[in-house]
Amino acid sequence: MTAFFVSRIKVKDPAKMQDYAAATGPTIAGHKGALVLRGRAVQTLIGEDAGLHMTSVVQFPDIEALTAWFNSPEYQQHAGLRDEAGDMQFVVYQDPSA
């Protein structure tokens, strides 16, 4: 089943956020992932205001590929930069959902 990695990021340091994205983006393709969306929130239409944040969605062929990417040394070596760049929430979704 297709798996999606969804990140919601409150950027703390824009320069470090750019460095993080540049460093980690190439690690995705090695695990058969593809960036579907990366953008800033523009407005909240319903519910509590989501505030200023960025969201990205990455598609992987399955949960195993997503997990292998997230746990890979190539990605995890950037954990310190990730934490300096912003406050992040990562959620995994599957399609079709069980």
Side-chain angles (χ1 to χ4, degrees), residues 47-60:
E48 185 178 328
D49 185 6
L52 297 175
H53 69 278
M54 294 178 59
T55 295
S56 65
V57 178
V58 179
Q59 181 178 349
F60 289 88

Side-chain angles (χ1 to χ4, degrees), residues 1 6 16-17 26 41 49 61 74 80 82 90:
M1 281 186 260
V6 179
K16 288 184 180 180
M17 188 67 231
D49 185 6
E74 296 82 13
R82 176 186 65 211
F90 295 164

Side-chain angles (χ1 to χ4, degrees), residues 14-50:
K16 288 184 180 180
M17 188 67 231
Q18 287 183 330
D19 292 344
Y20 170 75
T24 60
T27 68
I28 293 168
H31 293 273
K32 300 180 183 170
L35 182 66
V36 176
L37 165 79
R38 180 173 56 206
R40 293 191 179 277
V42 177
Q43 67 183 27
T44 302
L45 297 175
I46 294 177
E48 185 178 328
D49 185 6

Side-chain angles (χ1 to χ4, degrees), residues 47-96:
E48 185 178 328
D49 185 6
L52 297 175
H53 69 278
M54 294 178 59
T55 295
S56 65
V57 178
V58 179
Q59 181 178 349
F60 289 88
D62 51 44
I63 193 80
E64 291 80 12
L66 188 158
T67 303
W69 163 74
F70 184 77
N71 292 322
S72 72
E74 296 82 13
Y75 173 73
Q76 286 299 321
Q77 70 179 331
H78 304 291
L81 181 57
R82 176 186 65 211
D83 295 343
E84 293 173 5
D87 295 323
M88 303 190 189
Q89 177 190 46
F90 295 164
V91 180
V92 175
Y93 297 87
Q94 279 191 306
D95 183 36

